[in-house]
Amino acid sequence: MSTLYQDLSALLPDGQVSVAEQDLEVHSIDKWHASAPPQVVVFARSTEDVEKVMKYANEHEVPVYTRGAGVGYVGGCVPVQGGIALSVAKMDEILEINTGDGVAVVQPGVITGHVQAAAREKGWYYPPDPASLKECSIGGNIATNAGGPRCLKYGVTKQYILGVTVVTATGEVLKLGGRCHKNKTGFDLTTLMCGSEGMLGVVTEAILRIIPHPETRGMLGASFVDFSAAAAAVQAILDSGVLPSALEITDAFTLAAARDYLGEDALPPGDAYLMVEIDGKVDSVQKELASLQAFLKELGALRINEAPDEAACEEIWQLRRDFSYSLKHTGLTKLNEDVVVPRSKLVDLVNYARKLQEDTGIDVACFGHAGDGNIHTNLMVKDYSDPETKEKADNALDLLFNWVLDHGGAITGEHGVGLAKKRWIGKALGGPVMDAHCAIKAALDPKGILNPGKFLD
């Protein structure tokens, strides 16, 4: 056995350190294509465990790659320099749901959907809802500042993190923020940890803001002749003074794949589909649904499906989830991108995607969060493991990301940078901003042991 394994085994209880082939393999990947094995896997169960690991790693300059559920899309937790894969997946307790304070206190390995369910049992709500909420963890959500369809109305993860316990690269335990819903004491280091992608510290506990759960929700699914008409409807809805909890849009390529997978009658005719969700009191939701339905007809909707209650809403959301399965059913590999543009550029983005498809011969599927401009612009390739196909796809991504940046957008809205978007981070941030990132990193991780090899290197 290696010295690293022996040393860590001496520091931690039995069974928490592994060099088993299966554990090394599982912790070498996420949902992106990159793979690199760690030297050892540590299954932390407490803040004290993490503290011991980080003090050892800092002293011996061993790389540490923190991992939650491992369902990221950018290689963010892949241990590219070996070292320690520090799993917090077994730190999975919901420690408290306190409606009096409006907080949930959780460990980082808790699955996001479990937090939502626990809050809902008490009539309260944890709104962040990434598509992978049934399998992603709170720690990973904090690392990437995860979003989801309902962030249009409710905001992304950072709006719900009141406090965190963080173990630094040197093994110090920081208690940042707290249970107060307002707190202007010093720098906002709590928010700094949101989106830090495992490079500034290891979150071992989080205090989440929860809010009263809306009484009910309702949805409309509206088809339009084309994407431009649906995008115009998005802006018209917002201009009318309505703030939906979610506004999702889908393009012609995705709809064609869905009809092939689910059946021709599963979706109404048209080359664009808009999903509008609203929530609130029962009476107000019913009135607003009726008003929105009439409004969408005026805007040229071809057909409108109404979902007036929770069960019917789930049917429409299931359709949204099925879009990903439909794209997989094509037999092509989906390069799952999460670019963002100013909302006024939605049509421009999809028009550019069509042009990119024509110029490169690579199919492009666009769907996602129309309300905030976060459209998943997915390249559909035959075999990404083939070097020639990969080079062609990477060149197409280069064109896409540069177009997005040149039009005031961002290369990632939810998934993070990780390894997948490392190539474009210099242009995305700019020199002075990159320098500021590096200065913060050096202050909190002087030996550069936390998640090395990613976008700051």
Side-chain angles (χ1 to χ4, degrees), residues 255-450:
L255 292 175
R259 291 184 181 108
D260 182 63
Y261 177 64
L262 300 170
E264 191 66 30
D265 296 332
L267 284 147
D271 282 346
Y273 193 67
L274 189 64
M275 300 178 183
V276 188
E277 182 188 82
I278 56 175
D279 59 18
K281 294 287 186 180
V282 172
D283 289 347
S284 63
V285 168
Q286 289 177 348
K287 291 177 182 177
E288 201 163 5
L289 277 180
S291 175
L292 269 173
Q293 187 162 358
F295 189 51
L296 288 171
K297 288 179 180 177
E298 291 177 11
L299 295 171
L302 301 175
R303 188 188 300 176
I304 302 172
N305 299 327
E306 183 178 2
D309 55 34
E310 293 273 346
C313 285
E314 273 306 303
E315 290 183 12
I316 293 184
W317 279 118
Q318 185 58 50
L319 181 63
R320 165 69 169 81
R321 297 182 195 106
D322 283 337
F323 288 156
S324 289
Y325 295 109
S326 301
L327 292 173
K328 288 179 182 177
H329 183 68
T330 64
L332 302 173
T333 298
K334 176 165 69 82
L335 303 185
N336 193 1
E337 303 303 335
D338 62 326
V339 297
V340 192
V341 293
R343 201 168 53 234
S344 63
K345 302 287 186 183
L346 279 179
V347 174
D348 292 340
L349 172 62
V350 173
N351 286 342
Y352 180 76
R354 297 285 78 80
K355 181 178 185 301
L356 188 66
Q357 181 172 300
E358 293 171 5
D359 291 346
T360 64
I362 297 173
D363 291 324
V364 183
C366 299
F367 65 91
H369 320 315
D372 55 25
N374 181 197
I375 300 297
H376 295 279
T377 308
N378 307 297
L379 272 62
M380 306 293 296
V381 299
K382 289 184 178 179
D383 181 8
Y384 195 62
S385 63
D386 173 65
E388 185 176 341
T389 301
K390 183 179 184 303
E391 181 180 7
K392 185 178 179 181
D394 287 347
N395 288 337
L397 285 175
D398 186 56
L399 293 171
L400 172 64
F401 289 149
N402 277 292
W403 184 94
V404 167
L405 292 172
D406 289 342
H407 288 78
I411 59 175
T412 175
E414 301 179 306
H415 301 159
V417 178
L419 291 171
K421 298 179 175 68
K422 181 177 177 179
R423 174 179 171 184
W424 298 277
I425 192 66
K427 181 173 181 178
L429 293 180
V433 177
M434 177 66 89
D435 291 344
H437 276 67
C438 291
I440 294 168
K441 169 72 168 171
L444 293 176
D445 181 11
K447 294 183 179 179
I449 62 168
L450 276 171

Side-chain angles (χ1 to χ4, degrees), residues 32 38 62 93 122 161 177 227 248 285 304 330 332 380 403:
W32 199 51
V62 179
E93 290 187 42
K122 294 181 178 288
I161 308 299
F227 193 92
E248 298 285 297
V285 168
I304 302 172
T330 64
L332 302 173
M380 306 293 296
W403 184 94

